[in-house]
Amino acid sequence: MSQEAAATTKTRPAAPDPVLNKLDVFVGKWNVEGKSYAEGSSNENLQVSSVEMKFVQTGEWLSGGFFLVSRWNGRVGQSDFNGMEVVGYDAESQTYISRMFDNGGNAPTYQISLDNNVWTYSGELQRATFEFSDDGNTMKTHWDWRKTEGDNWLPLCDLTASKFE
């Protein structure tokens, strides 16, 4: 075994951190509907449009249990809206981390925190809250965005998701 391979093996955890089990709430198939406000929005003119969003999102564990993978497929207005997210946990910083990829070429990274039933995503140009019902079968999501780091936050979308599988 090379020194590089040995070093990688030593730092890799033997099993997923138990804190990852909290992400189980995202597992399943979800019907997601709501409104997007981003089209035409600016710091001077908030929420100039409202377009329907509708998609199906599927969350499942990657083999091994270290990462949760979510995929979505649907529409925002007349445009396709497809992508995926990978969520893991960094034990050193004690933080959940997300990386999303979509059909628009976006690939943001988020730090994620949990307080009761609310997951909060914090990124440089986007932030979101995901609030789950007590039974875990409904999720309400609100996203904000900004063009550059110094700009005001603008509403991006409001969504309601219902688990169907």
Side-chain angles (χ1 to χ4, degrees):
M1 180 183 287
S2 72
Q3 286 181 339
E4 184 177 300
T8 302
T9 303
K10 288 179 189 173
T11 60
R12 183 175 298 145
D17 193 307
V19 75
L20 284 163
N21 294 335
K22 293 179 181 180
L23 290 167
D24 280 341
V25 72
F26 289 98
V27 173
K29 287 191 178 183
W30 302 81
N31 279 321
V32 185
E33 295 184 12
K35 303 266 186 204
S36 171
Y37 314 115
E39 192 172 327
S41 293
S42 69
N43 284 324
E44 297 77 34
N45 191 1
L46 300 178
Q47 255 175 260
V48 296
S49 69
S50 173
V51 256
E52 296 291 323
M53 294 181 74
K54 191 170 186 174
F55 57 95
V56 172
Q57 182 167 329
T58 303
E60 60 189 3
W61 286 103
L62 188 63
S63 178
F66 288 94
F67 297 98
L68 178 76
V69 178
S70 290
R71 298 177 193 277
W72 60 90
N73 185 5
R75 305 204 42 92
V76 176
Q78 298 302 310
S79 301
D80 289 338
F81 180 55
N82 308 305
M84 69 174 289
E85 173 188 25
V86 179
V87 180
Y89 184 75
D90 178 42
E92 187 175 315
S93 67
Q94 296 184 344
T95 306
Y96 296 93
I97 298 170
S98 163
R99 185 73 187 259
M100 291 188 188
F101 307 90
D102 70 21
N103 61 310
N106 300 300
T109 300
Y110 301 98
Q111 301 292 316
I112 306 171
S113 60
L114 173 62
D115 184 17
N116 292 316
N117 290 343
V118 180
W119 293 82
T120 300
Y121 281 51
S122 300
E124 185 178 324
L125 301 177
Q126 293 181 344
R127 65 185 184 188
T129 55
F130 294 77
E131 184 172 357
F132 285 85
S133 60
D134 288 338
D135 66 6
N137 291 321
T138 304
M139 167 176 47
K140 294 206 179 275
T141 305
H142 174 78
W143 282 91
D144 292 315
W145 73 284
R146 59 186 176 182
K147 213 173 207 175
T148 64
E149 199 169 321
D151 289 342
N152 295 324
W153 289 102
L154 306 171
L156 178 61
C157 63
D158 288 303
L159 305 166
T160 299
S162 300
K163 189 182 283 190
F164 67 92
E165 263 183 45

